[in-house]
């Protein structure tokens, strides 16, 4: 499956730019591509908002279903592109991306359950949000390795 993915994106330079997990990106590329993904995400949220409003206002027309499907597809593409960007930035900084990304996403996905076990006050989710913000700042500000 991974080889099929690599073959597919290697044929198209646009896909290679946004969906490859191999290689590196420097700080500037990471910043601009993150901003572009943020803009696409905001557009995706706007589409989802319109689509879900059409669905939940009992206007169960085909447009609501189409917009919801577009949201799900766009959200999936943005998540994959963002993860590939993060992996390449970690490679540029000299790290192996897979264990770090598993740690970050593992903590993020498990934190609601831990918070609920500890009383549901929300402090665990807040701490994880601060941790994720710190990781993002580190990726924006951290210096990459010299490529020589």
């Amino acid at each position: 499956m991974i080889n099929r993915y690599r073959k597919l994106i290697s044929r198209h330079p646009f896909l290679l730019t946004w969906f490859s997990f191999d290689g590196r990106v420097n700080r500037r590329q990471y910043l601009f591509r993150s901003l572009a993904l943020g803009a696409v995400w905001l557009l995706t949220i706007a589409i989802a908002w319109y689509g879900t409003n059409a669905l939940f206002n009992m206007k169960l027309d085909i447009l609501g279903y189409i917009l919801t499907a577009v949201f799900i597809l766009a959200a999936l593409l943005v998540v994959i592109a963002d993860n590939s960007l993060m992996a390449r930035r970690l490679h540029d900084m000299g790290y192996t991306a897979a264990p770090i990304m598993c740690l970050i996403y593992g903590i993020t996905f498990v934190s609601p359950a831990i918070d609920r076990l500890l009383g549901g006050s929300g402090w665990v989710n807040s701490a994880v949000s601060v941790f994720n913000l710190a990781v993002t700042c580190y990726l924006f500000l951290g210096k990459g390795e010299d490529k020589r």
Side-chain angles (χ1 to χ4, degrees), residues 37-76:
L37 284 173
V40 169
W41 184 247
L42 288 175
L43 179 66
T44 302
I45 293 297
I47 290 170
W49 180 79
Y50 183 78
T52 53
N53 276 342
L55 283 174
F56 289 122
N57 288 333
M58 297 302 171
K59 298 176 185 174
L60 297 175
D61 60 348
I62 192 70
L63 181 63
Y65 290 113
I66 291 172
L67 290 177
T68 303
V70 167
F71 165 72
I72 291 170
L73 178 65
L76 181 64

Side-chain angles (χ1 to χ4, degrees), residues 96-109:
T96 304
I100 294 172
M101 291 175 69
C102 287
L103 174 70
I104 291 169
Y105 286 111
I107 289 172
T108 302
F109 288 129

